[in-house]
């Protein structure tokens, strides 16, 4: 058990909310959250659907461990076809919202159709109702959350919503909950906005009580928490430095993509690193970092809470940004910083605040600005067009762009289309550092070869969270592999992809995998849900989820040709550092990967593979 | 020797393991809505603060109860609600200056922290040491030690 056993189906066209029993056969085959919601989605939606049409659906889904005492058991995912990519999208968020939905007695919410006018959904345990969102449409996430709580006189509500970016059609708009936790990538917020759905507010007081074997569950979760506590990464590194611990490490490896991937080392990395966030500022003697905080149920607590220097040019006369809020995580610090050559920590923190406030993915935004700055340097884009001198390294340009992009004003409208569309429009499609239309995160495929394959084959476009071989190639988890070679990477990428799919389906955070393997997760899932969830079975489910997503993408029109990297990474060798002279060896790894996957030469699932995985 | 729950908000990350442990201990369910300890979020200050009953020596709730449903556990010092006596009049919820006694719709009774009979589940579940269960006469010990540690010039003081 541990599933609530119930899903909510909301038809936005008709304005109806209906309860349905959860398909328990599918729950056993796909666990929950990413796997189970993608099963529902791919069964119900035509793969050729236009992501922004009323025919597309969008699902908020928890896992069976969401809302339990399992460490990090507070996750939810938003599943749809990505506005940015046209591929399957599944964006995962923490905070408290996912657990609240589960406590209200729901495993997931499926939205269909499109509302004629802006609405928001309110769930109070069994009761679900759509309300007129006129009073919050046009407002930020930071305004929307308190406004809904005040209107319903329920301060304990949790809210998942979009800001201006999702309303104005920015293709990488995020869904944000609890002010600064985000289902960030692929434009799931854009799809939400296209349906005139502003927010989902939940108050759940029923709790999670139907654990299969409570005693075994408590034993398994206590043991697993000890593993996290005793591990150097999850017990010390992440709580102290957050994911930002990587900034100096990856830079030293010559794998920190800099200035739109022209360079692989950033001379300003130390200025925007975890260590810099701890240092007292020269201006006011205070550190950027206020504290670390946790999401629901999390015993790691990697989250950064920061305050901007009140004298910094970005917040002069803007006291609304003086308070503490979600600070820089590694990917955002990289995308807003190194990708643009900007080393102003306070400016990056401000840009990150705006991304949270208005619901926008800082990775795709920052990486797109990187492309804009390169085009500006080439003279393709001009100051007259951009409204500002946009040379690499300009914090003023970065923060100007973030303000106009979230609102869809001026050139911000074009930045909001993402780097693929923008660079194509100006005649330089090769300068989009993306796969399947989604911008890279913070690891260079030349200096960490496995990540090149992971990006090229990621089902939601370039992404570090689908197969994080950095763990092995950099940190030696579970075993150290050489980041500069291609040998063995096909199997490594497949193993990471399959295991990650299980963690994303269970309701826990993928960061546990710095310490946990499936062997740590299996007893928790088995005690909570079903004795069928053995280690072996989980491995098979992970592979099934991956192939289900892949099959959807193939039916959507993606082929092996889309499992590619930008020309720059394949032909321009790294200029400096340990990877100097190397390009990505994707062409060497991809055939091995298809073979390991049981796909044909075009990257399609063979009949045998489908049969073997029960697809 | 009695012990007290001791809360250090500086160590709290807001994970709510304490709230789940409390509801599990008392109701067999993971449910912060039924927890007797609450973690408050002061977002703009970047602070998470757990708060629960301090077990007043002269307990307003106990004195206010018209049916004597609140008794003192002699071993732990906890002020305990006797469910079979409580009539759900809520006078104690008004009397308590700190808001730590609350009405439960499901049962028609009030609930408050009872120190789990001397082994508080919240303290056991807390992963950071923000909630501990310490000698009732020495709740200041840890803070005294911190300040003592700052005195590197004791000899000359």
């Amino acid at each position: 058990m541990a599933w609530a056993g119930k899903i909510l189906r909301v038809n936005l066209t008709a304005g109806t909310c209906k309860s349905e029993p959860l398909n328990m056969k599918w729950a056993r085959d796909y666990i929950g959250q990413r796997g189970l919601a993608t099963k529902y989605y791919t069964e119900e939606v035509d793969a050729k659907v236009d992501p922004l049409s009323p025919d597309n659906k969008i699902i908020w889904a928890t896992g069976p461990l969401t809302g339990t005492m399992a460490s990090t058991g507070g996750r939810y995912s938003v599943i749809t076809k990505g506005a940015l990519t046209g591929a399957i999208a599944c964006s995962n968020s923490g905070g408290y919202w996912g657990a609240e939905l589960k406590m209200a007695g729901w495993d997931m919410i499926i939205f269909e159709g499109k509302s004629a006018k802006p609405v928001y959904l309110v769930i109070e345990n069994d009761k679900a109702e759509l309300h007129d969102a006129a009073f919050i449409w046009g407002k930020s996430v930071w305004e929307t959350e308190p406004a809904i709580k005040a209107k319903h006189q329920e301060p304990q509500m949790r809210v998942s919503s979009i800001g201006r970016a999702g309303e104005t059609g920015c293709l990488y708009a995020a869904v944000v909950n609890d002010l600064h936790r985000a289902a960030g990538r692929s434009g799931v917020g854009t799809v939400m906005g296209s349906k005139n759905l502003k927010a989902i507010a939940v108050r759940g007081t029923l709790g999670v009580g139907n654990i299969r074997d409570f005693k075994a569950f408590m034993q398994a979760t206590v043991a697993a928490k000890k593993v996290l506590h005793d591990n150097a990464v999850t017990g010390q590194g992440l709580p102290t430095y957050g994911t930002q611990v990587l900034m100096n490490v990856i830079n030293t490896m010559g794998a920190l993509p800099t200035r739109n991937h022209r360079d692989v080392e950033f001379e300003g990395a130390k200025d925007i690193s975890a260590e810099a966030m701890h240092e007292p500022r020269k201006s006011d003697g205070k550190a950027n970092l206020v504290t670390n905080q946790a999401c629901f149920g999390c015993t790691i607590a990697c989250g950064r809470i920061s305050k901007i220097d009140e004298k910094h040019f970005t917040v002069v006369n803007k006291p609304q940004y003086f308070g503490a809020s979600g600070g820089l995580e590694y990917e955002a610090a990289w995308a807003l910083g190194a990708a643009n050559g900007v080393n102003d920590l306070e400016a990056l923190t401000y840009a990150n605040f705006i991304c949270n406030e208005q619901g926008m993915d800082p990775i795709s935004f920052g990486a797109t600005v990187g492309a804009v700055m390169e085009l500006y340097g080439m003279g393709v884009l001009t100051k007259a067009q951009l409204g500002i001198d946009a040379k690499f390294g300009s914090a003023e340009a970065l923060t100007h762009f973030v303000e106009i992009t979230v609102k869809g004003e001026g050139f911000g409208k074009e930045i909001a289309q993402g780097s693929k569309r923008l660079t194509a429009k100006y005649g330089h499609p090769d300068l989009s550092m993306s796969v399947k239309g989604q911008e890279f995160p913070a690891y260079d495929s030349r200096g960490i070869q496995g990540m090149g394959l992971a990006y090229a084959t990621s089902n939601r476009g370039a992404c570090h969270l689908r197969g994080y071989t950095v763990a092995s190639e950099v940190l030696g988890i579970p075993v150290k592999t050489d980041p500069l070679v291609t040998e063995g990477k096909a199997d490594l990428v497949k193993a990471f992809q399959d295991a990650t799919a299980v963690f994303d389906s269970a309701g826990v955070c993928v960061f546990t995998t710095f310490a946990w393997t499936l062997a740590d997760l299996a007893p928790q899932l088995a005690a909570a849900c079903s004795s069928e969830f053995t280690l072996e079975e989980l491995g098979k489910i992970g592979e099934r989820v991956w192939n289900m997503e892949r099959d959807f993408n193939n039916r959507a029109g993606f082929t092996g040709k889309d499992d590619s990297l930008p020309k720059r990474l394949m032909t321009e060798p790294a200029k400096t550092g340990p990877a100097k002279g190397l390009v990505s060896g994707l062409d060497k790894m991809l055939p091995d990967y298809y073979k390991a996957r049981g796909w044909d030469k075009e990257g399609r699932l063979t009949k045998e593979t489908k049969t073997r995985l029960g697809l | 020797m009695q012990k007290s729950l001791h809360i250090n908000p500086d160590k709290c990350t807001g994970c709510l393991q304490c709230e789940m442990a409390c509801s599990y201990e008392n109701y067999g369910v993971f449910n912060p809505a039924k927890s007797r300890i609450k973690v408050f979020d002061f977002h703009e200050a970047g602070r998470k603060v757990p708060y629960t009953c301090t077990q007043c020596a002269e307990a307003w709730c106990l004195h206010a109860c018209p049916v004597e449903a609140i008794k003192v556990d002699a071993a732990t010092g906890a002020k305990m609600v006797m469910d079979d006596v409580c009539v759900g009049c809520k006078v104690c919820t008004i009397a308590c200056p700190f808001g730590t006694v609350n009405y439960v719709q499901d049962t028609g009774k009030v609930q408050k922290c009872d120190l789990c009979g001397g082994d508080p589940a919240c303290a056991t579940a807390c992963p950071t040491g923000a909630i501990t269960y310490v000698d009732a006469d020495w709740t200041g010990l840890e803070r005294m030690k911190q300040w003592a540690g700052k005195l590197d010039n004791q000899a000359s003081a």
Side-chain angles (χ1 to χ4, degrees):
Chain A
M1 299 322 283
W3 296 278
K6 218 168 62 171
I7 66 176
L8 177 64
R9 188 176 294 273
V10 179
N11 187 310
L12 292 163
T13 308
T16 55
C17 301
K18 283 181 187 153
S19 168
E20 284 176 19
L22 184 71
N23 184 323
M24 293 312 294
K25 160 91 175 59
W26 289 356
R28 293 286 160 84
D29 290 348
Y30 296 91
I31 308 176
Q33 203 171 338
R34 174 174 164 190
L36 186 55
T38 307
K39 175 64 177 171
Y40 269 92
Y41 181 84
T42 55
E43 287 286 337
E44 295 186 11
V45 181
D46 180 354
K48 300 273 187 210
V49 73
D50 172 355
L52 300 180
S53 83
D55 293 334
N56 193 13
K57 299 189 186 184
I58 183 166
I59 303 177
W60 273 248
T62 65
L65 297 184
T66 307
T68 72
M69 276 182 86
S71 186
T72 78
R75 312 296 300 188
Y76 77 96
S77 291
V78 183
I79 291 90
T80 187
K81 190 177 188 181
L84 182 67
T85 57
I88 192 76
C90 172
S91 297
N92 185 309
S93 183
Y96 302 93
W97 188 91
E100 197 74 23
L101 180 68
K102 190 75 172 293
M103 302 278 172
W106 304 96
D107 291 306
M108 64 172 88
I109 314 168
I110 302 176
F111 289 93
E112 311 174 337
K114 176 184 177 174
S115 174
K117 57 175 192 184
V119 290
Y120 66 106
L121 179 68
V122 175
I123 297 174
E124 286 169 314
N125 293 339
D126 300 340
K127 200 174 96 183
E129 274 179 355
L130 290 166
H131 292 256
D132 187 342
F135 74 110
I136 40 177
W137 196 256
K139 305 277 188 202
S140 72
V141 167
W142 291 5
E143 292 164 328
T144 296
E145 289 197 19
I148 291 178
K149 290 174 187 183
K151 187 174 171 80
H152 294 270
Q153 299 190 332
E154 181 47 275
Q156 298 193 80
M157 260 177 178
R158 306 289 188 185
V159 181
S160 175
S161 68
I162 51 169
R164 294 286 298 278
E167 294 178 12
T168 56
C170 168
L171 287 180
Y172 42 86
V175 171
V176 178
N177 58 284
D178 302 294
L179 301 175
H180 62 97
R181 305 307 314 184
R185 303 220 68 191
S186 313
V188 295
T190 321
V191 175
M192 185 178 183
S194 77
K195 298 189 171 304
N196 272 330
L197 177 62
K198 177 68 178 176
I200 310 169
V202 186
R203 176 65 180 145
T205 63
L206 303 174
V208 176
N210 55 344
I211 300 295
R212 187 178 72 89
D213 181 342
F214 255 117
K215 199 175 158 205
F217 183 70
M218 296 305 267
Q219 278 172 355
T221 53
V222 167
K225 283 171 190 166
K226 186 167 186 309
V227 173
L228 295 176
H229 178 267
D230 293 346
N231 180 280
V233 177
T234 51
Q236 294 158 30
L238 284 174
T240 308
Y241 294 114
T243 53
Q244 271 275 62
V245 71
L246 288 166
M247 185 63 75
N248 288 322
V249 174
I250 302 296
N251 191 46
T252 307
M253 289 183 66
L256 189 71
T258 301
R259 290 175 281 269
N260 207 31
H261 284 68
R262 291 202 308 195
D263 300 305
V264 295
E265 289 176 293
F266 180 39
E267 64 286 353
K270 65 177 187 318
D271 304 326
I272 60 170
S273 66
E275 291 81 353
M277 289 170 73
H278 276 268
E279 281 290 308
R281 289 182 286 242
K282 277 187 191 124
S283 52
D284 63 358
K286 293 176 187 159
N288 175 280
L289 183 74
V290 175
T291 188
N292 66 315
Q293 279 184 358
C295 296
F296 183 93
C298 175
T299 57
I300 303 172
C302 74
R304 302 294 90 185
I305 301 296
S306 286
K307 272 190 188 178
I308 301 172
D309 174 2
E310 293 177 13
K311 300 265 167 47
H312 193 261
F313 79 87
T314 51
V315 295
V316 171
N317 298 323
K318 295 180 194 167
Q320 68 269 36
Y321 300 112
F322 288 179
S325 196
L328 292 167
E329 317 293 347
Y330 173 60
E331 306 299 336
W334 165 80
L336 301 168
N340 306 308
V342 178
N343 71 336
D344 180 339
L345 185 67
E346 302 302 313
L348 305 192
T349 307
Y350 172 74
N352 195 55
F353 273 24
I354 299 292
C355 285
N356 288 334
E357 183 190 26
Q358 300 293 0
M360 186 168 80
D361 172 16
I363 303 180
S364 281
F365 164 74
T368 302
V369 171
V372 168
M373 287 182 170
E374 182 159 12
L375 290 170
Y376 178 78
M378 292 159 65
V380 177
L381 293 172
T382 64
K383 191 174 169 183
Q385 266 170 304
L386 302 179
I388 195 163
D389 176 13
K391 60 180 181 297
F392 277 123
S394 170
E396 289 79 4
L398 172 78
T399 53
H400 171 67
F401 287 147
V402 79
E403 289 170 359
I404 61 173
T405 304
V406 291
K407 293 179 191 157
E409 291 171 359
F411 194 78
K413 250 192 207 128
E414 304 203 31
I415 297 174
Q417 296 298 299
S419 67
K420 183 183 165 186
R421 290 163 178 85
L422 187 145
T423 55
K425 178 175 173 182
Y426 292 100
H428 293 273
D430 289 346
L431 295 184
S432 169
M433 294 298 117
S434 64
V435 175
K436 299 181 178 72
Q438 177 158 289
E439 289 73 14
F440 289 109
Y443 314 86
D444 197 290
S445 310
R446 293 164 290 198
I448 308 176
Q449 290 283 330
M451 285 308 289
L453 179 62
Y455 292 147
T457 59
S458 160
N459 287 328
R460 68 168 187 175
C463 173
H464 58 294
L465 295 169
R466 284 297 174 273
Y468 192 69
T469 62
V470 172
S472 168
E473 295 177 279
V474 179
L475 304 170
I477 302 166
V479 285
K480 183 78 175 76
T481 51
D482 184 345
L484 301 179
V485 307
T486 56
E487 288 78 29
K489 296 296 163 65
D491 288 331
L492 186 74
V493 167
K494 175 180 180 295
F496 270 88
Q497 288 173 336
D498 291 349
T500 302
V502 178
F503 281 85
D504 286 348
S505 301
V508 296
C509 177
V510 73
F511 287 3
T512 57
T513 60
F514 287 115
W516 291 355
T517 66
L518 284 178
D520 297 287
L521 183 64
Q524 301 183 73
L525 271 175
C529 304
S530 160
S531 58
E532 288 169 31
F533 286 152
T534 59
L535 184 56
E536 191 192 2
E537 179 63 16
L538 293 184
K540 200 169 167 183
I541 290 173
E543 199 178 356
R544 182 183 297 137
V545 171
W546 188 267
N547 280 276
M548 166 176 62
E549 293 172 339
R550 173 74 182 197
D551 190 48
F552 176 85
N553 282 350
N554 284 343
R555 287 187 283 117
F558 289 93
T559 68
K561 288 194 183 69
D562 299 297
D563 297 337
S564 60
L565 294 174
K567 200 169 135 196
R568 173 163 284 172
L569 301 179
M570 303 299 294
T571 60
E572 295 177 24
K575 291 175 196 160
T576 60
K580 187 176 174 181
L582 281 184
V583 294
S584 168
L586 176 66
D587 46 343
K588 294 189 205 79
M589 298 181 280
L590 199 59
D592 287 348
Y593 174 83
Y594 281 4
K595 213 166 140 193
R597 280 269 171 226
W599 298 347
D600 67 17
K601 290 199 166 107
E602 270 72 53
R604 289 173 304 219
L605 282 65
T606 60
K607 240 183 207 154
E608 295 76 49
T609 300
K610 282 189 180 178
T611 310
R612 182 170 62 82
L613 296 170
L615 287 166
Chain B
M1 186 175 70
Q2 286 184 359
K3 289 186 159 189
S4 292
L5 273 180
H6 186 57
I7 290 171
N8 181 352
D10 290 345
K11 291 185 179 175
C12 178
T13 63
C15 74
L16 308 194
Q17 285 281 345
C18 56
E19 296 193 13
M20 283 187 283
C22 180
S23 62
Y24 176 62
E25 177 75 19
N26 292 296
Y27 297 96
V29 59
F30 302 130
N31 189 358
K34 284 194 155 58
S35 173
R36 298 160 184 188
I37 185 165
K38 290 300 292 177
V39 178
F40 292 89
D41 182 7
F42 299 93
H43 182 72
E44 298 215 340
R47 276 168 73 80
K48 303 271 188 177
V49 184
Y51 198 76
T52 189
C53 173
T54 57
Q55 314 294 347
C56 308
E58 284 294 327
W60 277 264
C61 61
L62 182 150
H63 291 307
C65 180
V67 295
E68 298 189 0
I70 298 178
K71 305 263 194 252
V72 182
D73 180 326
T76 64
K79 312 301 173 293
M80 319 258 296
V81 179
M82 304 292 120
D83 269 2
D84 52 346
V85 182
C86 175
V87 295
C89 74
K90 311 182 192 75
V91 170
C92 57
T93 69
I94 300 163
C96 174
F98 308 106
T100 55
V101 195
N102 284 283
Y103 181 65
V104 182
Q105 293 177 47
D106 290 353
T107 59
K109 317 282 181 188
V110 297
Q111 69 164 358
K112 66 178 288 304
C113 172
D114 61 4
L115 297 177
C116 296
D119 183 13
C122 54
T124 307
C126 179
T128 64
I131 306 167
T132 49
Y133 195 50
V134 302
D135 184 340
D137 291 347
W138 283 104
T139 52
L141 192 68
E142 206 35 51
R143 195 176 293 176
M144 283 172 79
K145 188 179 168 188
Q146 275 174 25
W147 283 100
K150 291 178 185 175
L151 297 177
D152 53 2
N153 58 345
Q154 275 168 315
S156 61

